[in-house]
């Protein structure tokens, strides 16, 4: 049976079992869910469409190219006003690439990092007024006398683009911990020029409960000024034994953080344990449940805690995956170059080795697609520029995905 595709901004129809999902300008035939493997845990979702939504397929012909394949464990990518890229490398330095992906400059002289495990030089973000002040902000795992912690630093990119001047550490996510996993660490600026910073709960069974503690920085979304202070009027400001910079709590390892440019909502993606990777919409003062709630299990297969997925006073994920896809980053597509992608959320899969496209309608996920399957890459970070998606991978490559 064949059916012509057509365009409609709001239509969503079902004809004799053939579903049509329409988002923005493109309408595509709904398919079976893209995930066909059995879940790690047989938990029931809280609502229809919370997992394994119908698959969709991009109808626009795409071009996929590799612009660079000599990066050294890249972790984050930001776009410079010149059109080039500023990229962190896990071992402790940054590189600048030209717009066509060619290597240009190397920036050394940054603070010492502990790059064992999941640590190292992590996220980097430009100041909203970078064109005027040349300030950048970055996250890294900082070795301490006892353990390691996530630190946030800032400095001015020198005119030579080979050094960061006036480096200052503005925040440390304490307590330090001896483990080498789950730092989180994405940095996103809000419309007022303040920062949202994600922090991991550091994984260990003896510390992850601190994701629920208001006197700990771990497993949180923080709201900070550019000096690393709490933004005034936070949801826990003035509360006894609470850190005023905490914006939301109960997160495991939030490696994805982005603001939806169409709605202004803050979206987050995090690793579950064995299964239960999540996408959340972050609201001030809300508790996202970890380690009380999860749709995953321990890596041993045992239940986490009491093995519950819902509890009053704790938020449900907008969407989750089971088995895991290991969401390393998220980015919204806000260009009209590929109209059917506008407003979609893209998720870089690490363990899943693909990029996921999520179609959103009224803050619900209504379609899912897998891109670049079979490449064998772990997609660590992603950014949209001039209608194309650019992604760095753990294998040291810079991919460009654009309209053909």
């Amino acid at each position: 049976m064949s059916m012509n595709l057509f365009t409609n901004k709001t239509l969503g129809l079902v004809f004799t079992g053939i579903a049509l999902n329409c988002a923005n300008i493109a309408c595509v035939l709904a398919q079976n869910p893209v995930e066909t493997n059995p879940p790690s845990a047989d938990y029931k979702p809280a609502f229809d469409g919370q997992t394994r939504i119908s698959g969709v397929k991009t109808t626009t012909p795409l071009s996929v190219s590799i612009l660079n394949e000599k990066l050294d464990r890249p972790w984050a990518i930001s776009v410079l006003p010149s059109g080039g890229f500023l990229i962190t490398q896990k071992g402790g330095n940054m590189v600048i690439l030209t717009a066509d992906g060619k290597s240009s400059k190397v920036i050394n002289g940054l603070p010492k990092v502990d790059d064992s495990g999941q640590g190292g030089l992590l996220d980097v973000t430009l100041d909203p007024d970078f064109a005027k002040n040349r300030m950048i902000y970055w996250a890294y795992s900082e070795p301490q006398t006892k353990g390691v912690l996530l630190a946030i630093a800032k400095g001015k990119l020198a005119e030579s683009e080979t050094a960061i001047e006036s480096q200052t550490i503005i925040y440390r996510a304490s307590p330090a911990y001896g483990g080498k996993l789950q730092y989180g660490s994405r940095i996103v600026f809000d419309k007022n020029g303040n920062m949202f910073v994600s922090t991991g709960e550091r994984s260990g069974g003896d510390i992850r409960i601190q994701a629920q503690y208001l006197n700990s920085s771990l497993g949180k979304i923080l709201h900070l000024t550019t000096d690393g202070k709490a933004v005034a009027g936070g949801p826990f400001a003035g509360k006894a034994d609470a850190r005023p910079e905490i914006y939301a709590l109960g997160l495991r390892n939030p490696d994805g953080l982005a603001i939806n440019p169409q709605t202004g909502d803050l979206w987050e993606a995090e690793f579950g344990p064995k299964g239960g990777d999540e996408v959340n919409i972050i609201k001030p003062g809300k508790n996202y449940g970890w380690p009380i709630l999860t749709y995953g299990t321990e890596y041993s297969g045992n239940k986490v805690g009491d093995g519950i997925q819902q509890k009053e006073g704790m938020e449900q994920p907008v969407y989750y995956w089971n088995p895991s896809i290991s969401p390393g980053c998220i980015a919204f597509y806000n260009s009209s170059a590929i109209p059917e992608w506008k407003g979609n959320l893209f998720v870089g899969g690490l363990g899943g080795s693909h990029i996921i496209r999520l179609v959103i309608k009224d803050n619900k996920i209504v379609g899912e697609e897998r891109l670049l399957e079979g490449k064998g890459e772990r997609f660590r970070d992603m950014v949209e520029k001039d209608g194309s998606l650019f992604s760095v991978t753990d294998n040291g490559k810079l991919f460009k995905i654009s309209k053909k």
Side-chain angles (χ1 to χ4, degrees), residues 64-77 85 87-89 95 97 100-103 329 350 355 372 374-383 389-401:
V64 178
S65 56
I66 299 173
L67 303 185
N68 192 307
E69 49 188 329
K70 296 183 179 179
L71 299 170
D72 182 13
R73 296 182 295 165
W75 209 94
I77 180 170
F85 303 98
I87 296 173
T88 59
Q89 299 191 130
V95 294
L97 306 185
D100 59 1
K102 300 295 189 298
S103 297
C329 61
L350 298 174
I355 292 173
L372 274 64
K375 300 291 185 183
E377 299 288 346
R378 291 166 57 88
F379 295 94
R380 179 61 65 176
D381 198 18
M382 194 165 22
V383 66
L389 284 177
F390 296 82
S391 180
V392 291
T393 73
D394 284 0
N395 285 336
K397 296 176 182 176
L398 172 61
F399 277 82
K400 179 182 180 181
I401 311 167

Side-chain angles (χ1 to χ4, degrees), residues 253-270:
N253 188 28
D255 271 9
L257 198 65
I259 292 175
N260 186 334
Q262 297 190 358
T263 66
D265 291 323
L266 180 66
W267 288 64
E268 173 260 3
E270 66 181 80

Side-chain angles (χ1 to χ4, degrees), residues 117-380:
Q118 294 174 355
L121 184 57
L122 305 173
D123 203 22
V124 64
T125 303
L126 306 187
D127 189 286
D129 289 327
F130 175 85
K132 296 180 180 178
N133 61 28
R134 300 187 64 80
M135 295 297 293
I136 66 171
Y137 299 78
W138 69 95
Y140 66 100
S141 52
E142 181 186 44
Q144 303 287 302
T145 303
K146 295 183 178 180
V148 188
L149 53 70
L150 176 71
I152 308 298
K154 70 176 182 180
K156 182 178 180 180
L157 180 63
E159 292 292 341
S160 66
E161 296 186 332
T162 59
I164 306 296
E165 302 169 344
S166 304
Q167 297 181 29
T168 306
I169 298 172
I170 61 172
Y171 189 85
R172 290 181 169 94
S174 59
Y177 181 66
K180 308 294 186 180
L181 303 177
Q182 297 182 189
Y183 294 92
S185 90
R186 295 295 178 186
I187 306 169
V188 174
F189 275 92
D190 68 16
K191 63 182 180 181
N192 297 316
N194 297 310
M195 298 181 295
F196 291 111
V197 175
S198 67
T199 68
E201 40 73 283
R202 305 301 308 281
S203 180
D206 57 338
I207 197 168
R208 64 188 183 187
I209 190 60
Q210 290 199 20
Q212 290 291 318
Y213 294 174
L214 291 176
N215 62 356
S216 168
S217 299
L218 306 184
K220 307 296 192 300
I221 300 296
L222 309 175
H223 203 191
L224 304 174
T225 69
T226 54
D227 292 325
K229 307 299 183 184
V231 173
F236 301 107
K239 183 178 177 63
D241 298 322
R243 298 192 178 195
E245 65 270 23
I246 294 175
Y247 188 80
L249 68 154
L251 306 172
R252 187 173 182 269
N253 188 28
D255 271 9
L257 198 65
I259 292 175
N260 186 334
Q262 297 190 358
T263 66
D265 291 323
L266 180 66
W267 288 64
E268 173 260 3
E270 66 181 80
F271 296 76
K274 185 179 181 182
D277 297 341
E278 296 182 0
V279 172
N280 294 288
I281 300 177
I282 302 296
K283 300 294 185 181
K286 297 298 184 181
N287 184 338
Y288 292 83
W290 178 259
I292 310 301
L293 307 183
T294 179
Y295 284 92
T297 66
E298 301 284 10
Y299 293 108
S300 65
N302 294 330
K303 64 184 180 181
V304 175
D306 293 331
I308 61 174
Q309 293 74 54
Q310 302 174 43
K311 185 176 182 179
E312 185 176 356
M314 294 184 178
E315 302 301 301
Q316 282 292 306
V318 173
Y319 197 69
Y320 73 87
W321 294 272
N322 199 328
S324 293
I325 54 95
S326 305
C329 61
I330 60 175
F332 279 95
Y333 188 87
N334 196 40
S335 171
S336 298
I338 304 176
E340 61 194 302
W341 282 11
K342 189 162 187 178
N344 292 179
L345 181 67
F346 288 80
V347 183
L350 298 174
S353 299
H354 55 266
I355 292 173
I356 292 172
R357 170 191 169 217
L358 295 177
V359 183
I360 302 169
K361 183 177 181 181
D362 299 329
N363 279 345
K364 300 291 186 182
I365 306 304
V366 298
E368 180 176 5
E369 180 178 16
R370 291 183 173 180
L371 302 169
L372 274 64
E373 285 189 290
K375 300 291 185 183
E377 299 288 346
R378 291 166 57 88
F379 295 94
R380 179 61 65 176

